[in-house]
Amino acid sequence: MDHKQRIRAVLAGEPPDQLPVATWGHDFLREWSAAELAAHTIERQRKYNYDFVKLNPRWTLFAEPWGNQYARPVEQKFPRLTRRIVETAQDLHDVPQVASSHPILQEHVEAMRLVVDELGNEVDVLATVFAPLAVVGLLCGGVGEPLRTYAQTEGAALHQVLTDVAGTLAGHVTDLLQAGASGVFYAPLQWTSLDVCDAAFYAEFGRPYD
């Protein structure tokens, strides 16, 4: 089987000739433009010959369109948060609406297009998309706190932000699919862990927007 046949056999519940394998990770120094990210992704595929490719944008990309700012790293470490737009629960009322045409989101789309142009005849390329709750958590500074605390006093505002973010991400997914993505790797981050929030919290603030 070739890569695509192997993946489709597994999805159909049929035995492949061997188990399909892929890995992904961050190169924190080469994720800051569509061209850099695409080149890094293509190089990894050429080196390891995975059965599918997960386009892995920089960790901070999905928080940047709404206003979070990060210091670009000079070594292989996560970017450092320099400004978060939600500093208090009240700030949830001021989170801006963002169109899927935002330049940072379109950078991700362009990277997808570049990777698909090079690799799409050989392998399926999946787009990474953060869950709305994961995005809003980053706008508040991370996963878990302080968003869980904010939700206690500003639940209605949080629901409105999640609704807006989900709409933006839905448009972004459409753009990624039109750029040639075979599907979506959906990333709720650690929000689906009971170490971060209980099932009732996720049922209210996570699942409806998934």
Side-chain angles (χ1 to χ4, degrees):
M1 292 180 174
D2 63 24
H3 295 308
K4 291 191 174 185
Q5 290 170 336
R6 193 169 293 129
I7 293 295
R8 279 152 184 72
V10 170
L11 292 175
E14 300 170 355
D17 60 335
Q18 63 187 46
L19 290 178
V21 173
T23 71
W24 48 89
H26 287 283
D27 184 330
F28 294 111
L29 305 180
R30 299 181 64 194
E31 301 176 332
W32 295 85
S33 72
E36 287 179 307
L37 177 61
H40 164 65
T41 303
I42 292 165
E43 288 170 18
R44 282 175 56 90
Q45 179 60 20
R46 294 297 184 216
K47 182 175 181 179
Y48 297 109
N49 196 32
Y50 294 129
D51 288 304
F52 66 91
V53 170
K54 173 184 178 288
L55 182 62
N56 206 44
R58 62 183 175 273
W59 165 255
T60 61
L61 182 136
F62 286 106
E64 293 173 30
W66 283 269
N68 272 27
Q69 296 176 4
Y70 301 84
R72 181 170 177 169
V74 296
E75 54 185 323
Q76 288 293 353
K77 292 184 177 181
F78 278 89
R80 178 174 56 85
L81 176 66
T82 59
R83 176 180 181 264
R84 78 182 207 224
I85 66 163
V86 181
E87 294 279 358
T88 70
Q90 192 65 28
D91 291 337
L92 287 167
H93 293 274
D94 299 320
V95 175
Q97 293 188 348
V98 171
S100 61
S101 59
H102 190 285
I104 291 174
L105 295 176
Q106 287 302 306
E107 173 193 322
H108 189 204
V109 174
E110 177 61 17
M112 173 60 69
R113 187 175 293 110
L114 291 170
V115 172
V116 170
D117 285 350
E118 180 69 21
L119 301 175
N121 289 332
E122 306 167 29
V123 292
D124 293 301
V125 183
L126 300 183
T128 302
V129 178
F130 282 11
L133 183 59
V135 172
V136 180
L138 292 181
L139 299 183
C140 297
V143 177
E145 294 297 347
L147 179 56
R148 289 183 307 179
T149 298
Y150 295 169
Q152 296 173 12
T153 58
E154 295 292 344
L158 176 55
H159 277 296
Q160 184 59 58
V161 174
L162 288 165
T163 298
D164 293 342
V165 170
T168 301
L169 294 175
H172 184 51
V173 167
T174 297
D175 291 344
L176 289 164
L177 294 173
Q178 290 177 346
S182 297
V184 172
F185 183 100
Y186 188 69
L189 306 183
Q190 296 96 325
W191 284 101
T192 52
S193 169
L194 291 174
D195 293 332
V196 173
C197 66
D198 60 27
F201 182 94
Y202 197 86
E204 179 175 359
F205 296 106
R207 192 67 186 95
Y209 305 98
D210 292 340

